[in-house]
Amino acid sequence: MDKRKITRIYPTMGKTFFLTGMLATLFSCATADKASHQPQADIQEPVLKLKQLAHGFSQTLYYRSDNQQTAYKDTHANEQETPKASNTSYKDTHASITQQLVVATTYKDTHANDNEKLAPALNAQTNDDTHTIELQLNEHQGISISNSQGKARFIAGSFVLASAEIAEFENKQWVSLVVFNNNTQRIETYRLAPDTLDIQQQLTQSAKGSEAICAAVTAQGAQYIVNIDATGTLNQFEIHDNQFLPLRNFAIGPGMKSCSLDMHTHSIYLADEFAGVWKVNADIESELEKELFFHNANIAIEGVSTLSSNTSLFKGSLLGWVSPDKSGVWLQSQCQTEFIALQYNLAGVPQTIEPEFIHLAFYEYEKGPRISVVVDDDASGNFFSAELSSELSAAYFNHGCLSKDKEPIANGESRSPKYALARVLPSAETQPVKNYGDAADDPAIWVNAQSPSQSRILGTDKKGALNTYDLSGHQQQSLAVGRVNNVDVGYNVAIANMNNSGETTFTDIAIASNRSHNSLSVFEIDKFGVLAHLGEIDTTLTDIYGMCLFVENGVAQVFANDTSGLFERYEVSFDKNKKTKGTLTQSFSLPSQPEGCVVDTQTNTAYFGEEGAGIWSMDISSTKHEPTFVSAIAPPVEADMEGLALFTVDAQTYLIASSQGNNSYAIYNINSKNADQLTLMGLIRITADMNNSIDGVSETDGLEVTNANLGGVYSEGLWVVQDGRNVMPSETQNFKLVSGTRLKEAIRNLVSTKH
């Protein structure tokens, strides 16, 4: 890929979704544009009646004393007054949201007395094993925590709460607490035993301040943390092996007032007072892009909260956001965005608030789940809460488009036809390249025949150098020869003897396409793996791009292409002084931009990758042959297709191609009797090795592989790929190394699944 898109902003405003089933009826109202709702005096907005929380922000968590798996339940109802019952019973379960929300504050609610009804209901459903933890936050004094078993703990300090929840994994549960300490300017995480409130783990991480912080625990018990610091940088962490593991950081810009993590959809939501509400993919291997899906020039969004769960009751996600410019809350499900006005009574007079903070929670009453909303009032400093009606809450629980067949797809994986997918872990990674942005591009592997463990990896930094690395990934050389894009290696290339004896000597070489000169840069590789620049071969290409080489009877031949699709084939020779010469022997074109290519000398077949279309093959036994299109890009393979390499497993040759669009590698079986016949076996994905702090791989440009025994973990070969996004932590691009053993196992798994 030549110019990688770093940030895409989709200023999509006024998204309108349509509910199905119950949700459609519940949310129906006469508002033309839900996502960009403009307040109008002549339109009656739905209203939620607020109740003031007596002790500031508080949160109630529920846990099981028998440590059996249970849903996370969270409510703020314990401090609220019971709504006054009216003589009007709620009858119409298909009323509009406006009707429901108004009625919800006046109809006779059999679940209204939270203190009396909620805890017994939960206990009845869980064999009296459910207990509560009360958390209260005073920003200037600290955090008070107590449970229903009489235990208490106080953590002194000035804190901003990122998250507090009951985390569960493998029949273990704990209180997960994440805060930002204003006094020390550090992120702090606590893991407490629910029964005793003993601190089992306490970790801290320095930060450059915090403009917004949020956290969440995954279904696997991993703690994820997002902090946007004072420099406008978004930092992602995971708590792993009792320490903060930096995952990714990137500039997000000013104006971020709060954030929220939705682990169900792997999304980060950001409240931007200058723009609105942004959505960012939380997957650290995803494209660095953000989607603006709510914007109103007259409203500054400052608070955002998500509500999601993998429990059987709640299959979707709910998002809420608030602005001090409007006394209300926006709630967005997968299908609908709705603005709901907020009011509270003071001496019988309706009052409005200026909310900057929002927290969504859900819990279970006797007759079904409910959702609560907690907001603050910037003018008074008070906190308020309200509950959605039971009918309205139920709309978010397995109804309408929140049913299973409408669930969002995690990690950006598409619903393409089913295919085999194997995952492998990287064995090592190289040092990052010097230059920023889309710099690293294509690797090659030089096998040291005399000392295989001293083999070298060659990698292009296409903004200025060709680098070499040892098998542990440490850089050995950096040759500043220009903007080299692709590189390949040839063995036993003939050179005229220097003593004029008439004998021929042989050497190993590397050749790289050089975009600074539209030339081919030629290097000699000595027995220690040290490269020496021999010179340049001029081409007639106007924008040289990819290349590959092969050696036949001591003569190196190169296929080079440019971005127009034009290929040129050169025969490379050396005189006794090692001066290089290239002779053009063939020209042909593909319809659009190619890059990767590889040659199978066993079958005299070259394979060319047309980035947006697919794979071509050509018989190289004669310069008269033309390429043939043999495999189109089709799901599950996604463009761009840039890197190609050959690997043998159990006497069968496979073609590996980068499927850049979904951060994968397509594995094609090459028919042993017809080299033009390719059969897709499935995809391989390189995922993060958290234990060794090596990230996975995304958006690969070039790749190379060898079956040679390089010793140690690479005794069955080595696979090297370019990593378009080098994270854990975020650094300039590099190359990832995968052992041939792991690659063979993955391909065997694909083959067994295919058959």
Side-chain angles (χ1 to χ4, degrees):
M1 183 191 61
D2 192 27
K3 295 182 179 179
R4 191 160 60 92
K5 298 179 286 291
I6 302 301
T7 303
R8 300 175 188 163
I9 298 178
Y10 303 102
T12 307
M13 305 175 189
K15 286 189 177 178
T16 303
F17 303 91
F18 296 95
L19 288 170
T20 59
M22 180 185 292
L23 196 57
T25 309
L26 291 175
F27 275 107
S28 61
C29 66
T31 310
D33 188 351
K34 307 303 183 187
S36 298
H37 182 86
Q38 298 285 349
Q40 300 179 28
D42 57 343
I43 296 178
Q44 182 181 3
E45 296 170 336
V47 177
L48 271 181
K49 298 298 184 180
L50 298 172
K51 310 172 190 72
Q52 183 176 337
L53 299 179
H55 304 291
F57 177 77
S58 65
Q59 190 170 343
T60 302
L61 308 177
Y62 288 81
Y63 68 96
R64 294 277 298 275
S65 62
D66 60 0
N67 281 342
Q68 293 180 1
Q69 188 174 6
T70 182
Y72 162 58
K73 307 176 183 67
D74 180 3
T75 182
H76 305 276
N78 57 301
E79 293 196 51
Q80 300 158 12
E81 300 175 1
T82 303
K84 293 181 179 180
S86 81
N87 293 326
T88 304
S89 297
Y90 184 75
K91 300 291 186 180
D92 186 0
T93 59
H94 302 288
S96 69
I97 185 172
T98 304
Q99 293 172 318
Q100 283 202 46
L101 289 172
V102 173
V103 174
T105 62
T106 57
Y107 78 95
K108 186 174 183 179
D109 189 345
T110 59
H111 309 298
N113 192 327
D114 297 340
N115 287 329
E116 295 180 4
K117 301 288 286 187
L118 179 58
L122 289 169
N123 287 338
Q125 295 174 24
T126 57
N127 300 320
D128 296 324
D129 289 324
T130 302
H131 300 274
T132 60
I133 293 177
E134 305 294 336
L135 182 147
Q136 293 184 351
L137 174 67
N138 184 300
E139 183 179 352
H140 303 292
Q141 295 180 5
I143 301 173
S144 300
I145 309 173
S146 61
N147 65 19
S148 55
Q149 295 174 290
K151 303 297 183 181
R153 179 167 295 278
F154 179 74
I155 304 175
S158 174
F159 299 111
V160 175
L161 181 65
S163 74
E165 59 182 298
I166 299 295
E168 300 185 16
F169 184 62
E170 294 181 343
N171 291 325
K172 296 179 181 179
Q173 60 180 346
W174 62 94
V175 181
S176 176
L177 177 65
V178 181
V179 296
F180 182 78
N181 191 321
N182 294 314
N183 296 330
T184 64
Q185 293 293 289
R186 299 180 70 88
I187 304 168
E188 298 180 1
T189 69
Y190 298 85
R191 181 169 177 161
L192 295 85
D195 289 320
T196 64
L197 298 183
D198 290 339
I199 297 177
Q200 300 173 328
Q201 180 192 73
Q202 180 180 354
L203 303 172
T204 67
Q205 171 69 33
S206 61
K208 298 177 181 178
S210 180
E211 299 298 310
I213 186 169
C214 50
V217 178
T218 69
Q220 292 73 39
Q223 178 73 69
Y224 270 72
I225 301 168
V226 170
N227 182 56
I228 301 173
D229 64 29
T231 70
T233 300
L234 188 150
N235 304 272
Q236 286 180 249
F237 301 94
E238 179 183 337
I239 302 301
H240 183 79
D241 197 20
N242 295 322
Q243 61 182 345
F244 277 76
L245 178 62
L247 299 179
R248 178 174 68 166
N249 62 73
F250 56 91
I252 197 66
M256 303 302 169
K257 304 296 289 185
S258 66
C259 67
S260 188
L261 271 167
D262 183 349
M263 301 313 296
H264 183 64
T265 60
H266 299 271
S267 302
I268 305 169
Y269 292 97
L270 305 169
D272 183 344
E273 64 176 333
F274 302 131
V277 183
W278 296 98
K279 180 181 179 180
V280 177
N281 194 328
D283 181 358
I284 62 175
E285 296 293 346
S286 66
E287 184 81 34
L288 292 180
E289 62 183 10
K290 54 183 182 179
E291 175 188 354
L292 181 64
F293 64 86
F294 176 86
H295 169 78
N296 188 312
N298 300 316
I299 295 175
I301 303 301
E302 298 199 14
V304 63
S305 178
T306 56
L307 178 62
S308 67
S309 172
N310 292 318
T311 67
S312 59
L313 290 174
F314 194 77
K315 286 295 183 182
S317 296
L318 179 65
L319 176 68
W321 61 89
V322 294
S323 167
D325 300 322
K326 190 159 178 62
S327 182
V329 57
W330 286 263
L331 291 178
Q332 178 176 289
S333 70
Q334 292 170 253
C335 305
Q336 181 78 14
T337 302
E338 186 74 25
F339 179 79
I340 305 170
L342 298 174
Q343 291 182 358
Y344 75 98
N345 289 327
L346 181 64
V349 179
Q351 305 288 319
T352 60
I353 63 170
E354 300 175 10
E356 294 183 326
F357 168 88
I358 179 174
H359 176 77
L360 298 175
F362 74 92
Y363 50 91
E364 296 178 30
Y365 279 99
E366 287 175 324
K367 296 185 178 180
R370 296 284 292 273
I371 296 173
S372 72
V373 181
V374 176
V375 293
D376 72 340
D377 177 23
D378 184 50
S380 66
N382 295 323
F383 283 83
F384 298 85
S385 72
E387 292 76 44
L388 303 187
S389 68
S390 57
E391 290 81 9
L392 183 57
S393 293
Y396 292 103
F397 294 84
N398 283 329
H399 287 296
C401 70
L402 294 183
S403 59
K404 291 183 178 181
D405 61 338
K406 297 288 185 175
E407 285 187 44
I409 307 168
N411 292 321
E413 296 181 5
S414 61
R415 284 194 175 99
S416 57
K418 288 186 177 181
Y419 61 94
L421 173 65
R423 291 179 170 85
V424 299
L425 297 179
S427 305
E429 62 181 335
T430 68
Q431 291 177 257
V433 298
K434 177 181 178 180
N435 291 296
Y436 289 86
D438 185 23
D441 192 277
D442 187 53
I445 302 169
W446 174 74
V447 178
N448 188 329
Q450 302 302 316
S451 181
S453 64
Q454 298 302 310
S455 297
R456 293 288 181 262
I457 297 164
L458 287 65
T460 60
D461 179 343
K462 63 186 177 186
K463 295 189 176 182
L466 177 64
N467 300 329
T468 69
Y469 309 88
D470 61 24
L471 296 185
S472 64
H474 293 102
Q475 183 175 301
Q476 301 299 304
Q477 283 183 278
S478 183
L479 295 90
V481 294
R483 296 184 295 115
V484 287
N485 200 71
N486 282 31
V487 63
D488 206 351
V489 168
Y491 300 91
N492 297 318
V493 178
I495 293 181
N497 187 270
M498 297 181 65
N499 61 13
N500 296 320
S501 66
E503 296 178 359
T504 301
T505 59
F506 298 88
T507 189
D508 295 345
I509 65 169
I511 297 180
S513 55
N514 194 321
R515 303 190 74 184
S516 294
H517 315 294
N518 280 317
S519 63
L520 294 168
S521 299
V522 183
F523 305 85
E524 183 178 23
I525 309 174
D526 71 12
K527 63 181 180 180
F528 301 107
V530 177
L531 272 63
H533 184 205
L534 297 181
E536 303 292 320
I537 296 175
D538 293 332
T539 72
T540 65
L541 301 173
T542 58
D543 188 16
I544 197 169
Y545 202 44
M547 59 79 57
C548 60
L549 72 86
F550 68 100
V551 179
E552 185 177 37
N553 298 323
V555 179
Q557 298 193 52
V558 179
F559 288 105
N561 60 62
D562 70 11
T563 54
S564 70
L566 176 63
F567 271 84
E568 292 185 344
R569 179 175 177 175
Y570 287 88
E571 186 176 290
V572 181
S573 60
F574 301 86
D575 66 16
K576 63 181 181 180
N577 297 315
K578 298 184 181 179
K579 183 178 179 180
T580 61
K581 178 183 178 181
T583 302
L584 179 62
T585 61
Q586 184 180 10
S587 296
F588 56 89
S589 292
L590 299 187
S592 64
Q593 180 171 301
E595 183 173 3
C597 64
V598 65
V599 176
D600 186 346
T601 56
Q602 300 298 314
T603 62
N604 284 323
T605 305
Y607 298 97
F608 308 114
E610 187 182 0
E611 291 188 2
I615 301 171
W616 296 73
S617 72
M618 189 178 76
D619 184 347
I620 63 170
S621 62
S622 168
T623 58
K624 303 298 184 181
H625 294 143
E626 294 288 332
T628 301
F629 191 65
V630 294
S631 182
I633 294 176
V637 183
E638 296 184 13
D640 289 343
M641 181 178 285
E642 301 196 13
L644 297 177
L646 298 168
F647 191 60
T648 301
V649 182
D650 302 328
Q652 171 62 50
T653 301
Y654 297 90
L655 178 65
I656 304 175
S658 59
S659 176
Q660 197 177 76
N662 55 10
N663 303 325
S664 304
Y665 306 91
I667 307 299
Y668 296 91
N669 177 298
I670 301 176
N671 188 292
S672 59
K673 296 181 180 180
N674 181 1
D676 289 345
Q677 184 177 331
L678 305 179
T679 302
L680 179 66
M681 308 306 293
L683 300 183
I684 293 178
R685 194 163 292 161
I686 302 175
T687 58
D689 182 349
M690 307 301 287
N691 292 326
N692 292 298
S693 299
I694 305 175
D695 62 305
V697 180
S698 54
E699 207 171 80
T700 289
D701 286 346
L703 56 87
E704 185 58 286
V705 67
T706 179
N707 279 97
N709 180 355
L710 305 184
V713 297
Y714 305 118
S715 60
E716 292 190 85
L718 169 64
W719 183 25
V720 182
V721 302
Q722 180 259 7
D723 186 6
R725 283 183 283 272
N726 183 27
V727 293
M728 288 178 54
S730 295
E731 296 179 298
T732 55
Q733 295 178 344
N734 70 348
F735 300 91
K736 298 298 192 290
L737 285 63
V738 178
S739 73
T741 303
R742 292 176 177 175
L743 178 57
K744 285 184 178 181
E745 182 179 343
I747 292 177
R748 287 175 181 136
N749 287 338
L750 296 182
V751 172
S752 64
T753 303
K754 188 76 172 180
H755 296 302

